[in-house]
Amino acid sequence: MTSHPVLQDARPPAVGRPMRERAWSLPEVRWALAASGLFGCAAAAHLLGKPAWLYWGLYLACYVAGGWQPGLDGLIALRRRSLDVDLLMVVAALGAAAIGQIFDGALLIVIFATSGALEALATKRTEDSVRGLLGLTPETATRIGDSGEELVGTAELAVGDLLLIRPGERIGGDGVVVDGASAVDQATITGEPLPVDKTAGDEVFAGTVNGTGTLWVRVQRPSADTVISRIGAMVAEASASKARTQLFIEKVEQRYSALMVAATIALLTIPLLLGSDLRSALLRAMTFMIVASPCALVLSTMPPLLAAIANAGRHGVLVKSAVVLEKLATVSRVALDKTGTLTLGVPALTGIHVRPESGFGRAELLALAASAEHPSEHPLARAIVAAARDAGLALRPTVSFTSAPGRGVRARIGDDTVEVGSPGQLGDDATVGQLVHTSERAGRTTVIVRVNGATAGVLELTAHPRDGAADAVARLESLTGTTPLLLTGDNPQAASQLAADVGIADVHAALLPEDKVAIVRGLEADGAAVMFVGDGVNDAPAMAAARVAVAMGRTGSDLTLQTADAVITRDELRALPAIVALARRARRVVTANLLIAATFIVVLVGWDLLGHLPLPLGVAGHEGSTILVGLNGLRLLRDRTWSA
Ligand code: ADP
Ligand code: MG
């Protein structure tokens, strides 16, 4: 957990700290303010006709305040044989001072420091919102044991422990409320600012803050598995990658800068050789160097992308890198998994059919199936386990558990081998076939339970679509201009039923994980940029094959969270169209920025070479475009995309 810059900083999370205080904590901001202040004093002294030593001194102090850091960074970069635009700016300002244009040079430094501070501020806001999601689980929790209350480390908490959560306390584990009522502030993992009411039966999450009530919570996940620690580990792993556009610009920047320095030297020496005077040759060369610098180009890409990533993070969408955001903007086809993605995390068990010849009772069959499913993280498995618990059935220990994604599970329970899984995969005889057929025609999901190779019965499950599923599908359809696809391992009838409920016309059912991959590959081969949305281990291969993959953060398995490019921490489907729309907005801003930057450079350089561009105008134009581009990027911090 050390590679991510966000995590190296051990200061407490800055979420909610006022912007002013946050800005003040940045050295870039403090130095920029100092440079501006000194510039103001110097200019005043200059205009009021004070002695030259005074305002020169103040101007030079302004140079130092605004220029030492970029200058130093530039020199360090130079030692690694890379040419930094920052260094060019400092050299240009020093050149301006050398030819007596100290006012213009100092102005250049001030505006330069200001745009640097703006950039630092944008980066900081991004880091703050990501950090808000991380590492906020408290160290200890109050556990109610046999001997009463005891304070234990949250790392030691086990599934089934009962926790007492006092008012105002940060919750130590993921679990279910068994008693009490309170409003819980879940902003740390969902980004949602309003507290959510919790009573018995509701889920609570580690790292969220209890309001004024007291809660008793039964721990449901081991501490390494909580939503917040999984997301944290994932963010830590994602390297602070750079956007492709940015990498391209940086590659070009090196050659461009070298060319620019050569041109500046030529602009200085050729007129001198032709007999021009030193001062005017220097002035021209300096002006050229300033206006030709690619500062605005360099600032065009990352600030907008980072601002968009911060914005998404505040709304519960974790985008793993800037490259992902670039890819999200290109999405032209959306493929969605069914169980756990379009449907709620845990379906309901709606029927138990025992095969009479098997000799099992209904409760016995359910208990066997639940015992076999207990180790599985699949939504169907959780539904079966929950149904057995609700019926008060005791689960039996399992040995040699194996699960085949998209097929089912197998385990040894006592002397029996129990298999629970898809009818298509486990095979069936005529009576069972009839049973399965009837349930499936009614749009149910069915799983077969086999004991020692013989079918013992069929379990019938119904899953409801998540809130807003139909809306999300419709918005995705209008954004991409293509029909979303439903890809599921479930039976065709259950799939069609759900597809009809949420408005998907293109349904592919009874798929194994490799079939999902084949469909995604086929679409990509036809030129589509596929976004795959899923939650299960069975979706991971298709996620890897898709252009960009999104996982459901709460129901999603570890593997899915790792494979995914972005994670929806709130499991809200409306975040899907929102993130695509945001990525497209970011792409538009980047394109506009690149155009603005390039236009300014071309016009100002052309003017300087062909006509006579006054130095102050050159400085104003160059720095103006840099700041314009920087501010344009910050617009993406605004919430617009999410309100729709
Ligand atoms: P989806 O693609 O809709 O998310 P899966 O591919 O995970 O569905 O599962 C496909 C089918 O495989 C399920 O409908 C079920 O019949 C069977 N199956 C997969 N995992 C399990 C499991 N743990 N227990 C029972 N059945 C399972
Ligand atoms: Mg699934």
Side-chain angles (χ1 to χ4, degrees):
M1 272 218 176
T2 52
S3 63
H4 199 273
V6 170
L7 293 170
Q8 286 165 1
D9 192 340
R11 275 173 295 170
V15 186
R17 252 201 285 153
M19 189 68 187
R20 210 177 328 136
E21 189 187 324
R22 211 186 311 182
W24 189 243
S25 73
L26 292 172
E28 288 89 343
V29 172
R30 291 200 297 259
W31 285 114
L33 285 176
S36 317
L38 287 164
F39 178 76
C41 298
H46 195 168
L47 287 176
L48 295 175
K50 297 282 184 241
W53 63 264
L54 179 64
Y55 62 78
W56 267 83
L58 286 167
Y59 276 136
L60 289 178
C62 162
Y63 265 60
V64 173
W68 75 269
Q69 185 70 61
L72 195 65
D73 290 349
L75 286 176
I76 293 171
L78 205 58
R79 277 192 51 189
R80 290 195 314 260
R81 305 181 150 272
S82 100
L83 199 54
D84 203 33
V85 214
D86 291 15
L87 188 63
L88 298 183
M89 283 296 93
V90 175
V91 170
L94 289 174
I99 51 177
Q101 305 275 359
I102 186 99
F103 176 85
D104 300 307
L107 185 63
L108 180 66
I109 289 278
V110 166
I111 308 183
F112 186 67
T114 308
S115 62
L118 275 178
E119 192 190 354
L121 208 60
T123 314
K124 177 93 168 90
R125 280 200 65 167
T126 311
E127 292 183 356
D128 283 352
S129 28
V130 175
R131 191 170 353 167
L133 296 162
L134 305 181
L136 289 178
T137 312
E139 301 271 297
T140 56
T142 309
R143 180 166 67 189
I144 302 185
D146 301 331
S147 51
E149 285 176 22
E150 51 181 346
L151 203 62
V152 294
T154 43
E156 294 164 32
L157 291 179
V159 177
D161 281 355
L162 185 63
L163 300 183
L164 171 66
I165 318 283
R166 297 201 171 81
E169 197 176 294
R170 213 172 258 286
I171 298 173
D174 282 11
V176 172
V177 177
V178 289
D179 199 5
S182 186
V184 174
D185 176 355
Q186 307 198 122
T188 44
I189 63 173
T190 66
E192 186 69 61
L194 291 180
V196 185
D197 287 327
K198 304 277 183 183
T199 51
D202 291 333
E203 240 187 312
V204 294
F205 302 97
T208 59
V209 182
N210 186 21
T212 49
T214 301
L215 294 171
W216 285 264
V217 169
R218 179 82 62 197
V219 174
Q220 263 190 325
R221 297 197 189 100
S223 67
D225 237 16
T226 58
V227 172
I228 199 159
S229 56
R230 283 188 301 172
I231 294 172
M234 196 188 67
V235 174
E237 221 169 82
S239 57
S241 75
K242 281 185 177 163
R244 289 213 182 119
T245 322
Q246 181 70 11
L247 290 175
F248 175 74
I249 290 176
E250 284 178 9
K251 220 164 78 196
V252 175
E253 184 198 333
Q254 282 303 309
R255 302 208 187 125
Y256 178 93
S257 304
L259 207 73
M260 209 187 89
V261 171
T264 308
I265 294 171
L267 266 178
L268 183 65
T269 47
I270 295 172
L272 281 181
L273 291 177
L274 296 179
S276 164
D277 70 302
L278 179 65
R279 196 172 176 283
S280 70
L282 248 174
L283 189 60
R284 181 137 205 205
M286 281 307 129
T287 314
F288 171 81
M289 186 157 162
I290 291 167
V291 298
S293 281
C295 296
L297 272 179
V298 173
L299 259 189
S300 293
T301 307
M302 286 318 281
L305 294 181
L306 290 177
I309 289 176
N311 187 341
R314 277 209 313 279
H315 290 89
V317 183
L318 219 81
V319 177
K320 285 195 192 167
S321 72
V323 182
V324 170
L325 206 69
E326 288 175 308
K327 286 187 190 162
L328 278 168
T330 67
V331 166
S332 67
R333 202 79 206 269
V334 181
L336 299 133
D337 165 58
K338 183 176 83 75
T339 317
T341 302
L342 278 176
T343 64
L344 287 171
V346 180
L349 182 75
T350 46
I352 303 174
H353 307 284
V354 183
R355 198 168 162 223
E357 303 90 298
S358 71
F360 287 105
R362 284 163 51 89
E364 210 177 339
L365 183 77
L366 179 58
L368 265 185
S371 306
E373 290 278 25
H374 188 236
S376 167
E377 86 302 325
H378 197 275
L380 294 178
R382 283 194 258 165
I384 293 169
V385 172
R389 287 239 164 87
D390 287 348
L393 302 172
L395 301 191
R396 292 166 57 192
T398 57
V399 278
S400 65
F401 169 87
T402 53
S403 84
R407 294 174 167 90
V409 302
R410 168 187 295 158
R412 273 194 81 77
I413 298 170
D415 292 333
D416 299 323
T417 300
V418 180
E419 291 162 287
V420 188
S422 137
Q425 294 300 313
L426 288 184
D428 46 4
D429 58 39
T431 20
V432 176
Q434 189 53 40
L435 250 180
V436 168
H437 189 65
T438 320
S439 309
E440 290 191 347
R441 256 214 327 254
R444 303 273 153 74
T445 299
T446 49
V447 295
I448 284 197
V449 185
R450 293 209 305 181
V451 182
N452 299 325
T455 305
V458 175
L459 303 180
E460 196 183 283
L461 298 111
T462 316
H464 293 289
R466 291 181 189 275
D467 282 348
D471 251 17
V473 167
R475 285 199 64 205
L476 284 170
E477 180 153 6
S478 76
L479 267 175
T480 58
T482 54
T483 353
L485 294 94
L486 179 66
L487 304 184
T488 176
D490 205 352
N491 71 70
Q493 289 82 1
S496 312
Q497 171 97 52
L498 182 99
D501 287 350
V502 301
I504 294 184
D506 198 352
V507 185
H508 302 255
L511 303 176
L512 290 176
E514 52 270 33
D515 304 328
K516 293 190 180 184
V517 174
I519 292 176
V520 169
R521 288 236 171 93
L523 292 171
E524 290 273 348
D526 288 344
V530 180
M531 168 164 103
F532 188 94
V533 190
D535 71 309
V537 175
N538 62 319
D539 297 321
M543 287 185 149
R547 185 75 51 98
V548 39
V550 181
M552 310 302 282
R554 276 189 209 166
T555 45
S557 64
D558 278 353
L559 183 66
T560 325
L561 295 189
Q562 259 167 38
T563 316
D565 299 306
V567 175
I568 303 184
T569 58
R570 273 189 256 182
D571 287 11
E572 271 179 359
L573 291 171
R574 71 189 170 97
L576 293 174
I579 189 69
V580 173
L582 180 69
R584 291 193 183 174
R585 245 176 87 204
R587 185 174 59 175
R588 282 197 298 274
V589 169
V590 169
T591 313
N593 274 353
L594 291 172
L595 273 175
I596 294 173
T599 310
F600 266 85
I601 291 177
V602 168
V603 169
L604 292 175
V605 166
W607 189 349
D608 184 46
L609 292 183
L610 304 175
H612 173 72
L613 173 67
L615 180 62
L617 202 61
V619 169
H622 173 261
E623 292 299 332
S625 66
T626 308
I627 288 189
L628 193 65
V629 160
L631 289 176
N632 195 29
L634 291 187
R635 284 195 307 138
L636 286 164
L637 286 169
R638 283 200 326 225
D639 291 340
R640 226 177 60 196
T641 327
W642 308 91
S643 45

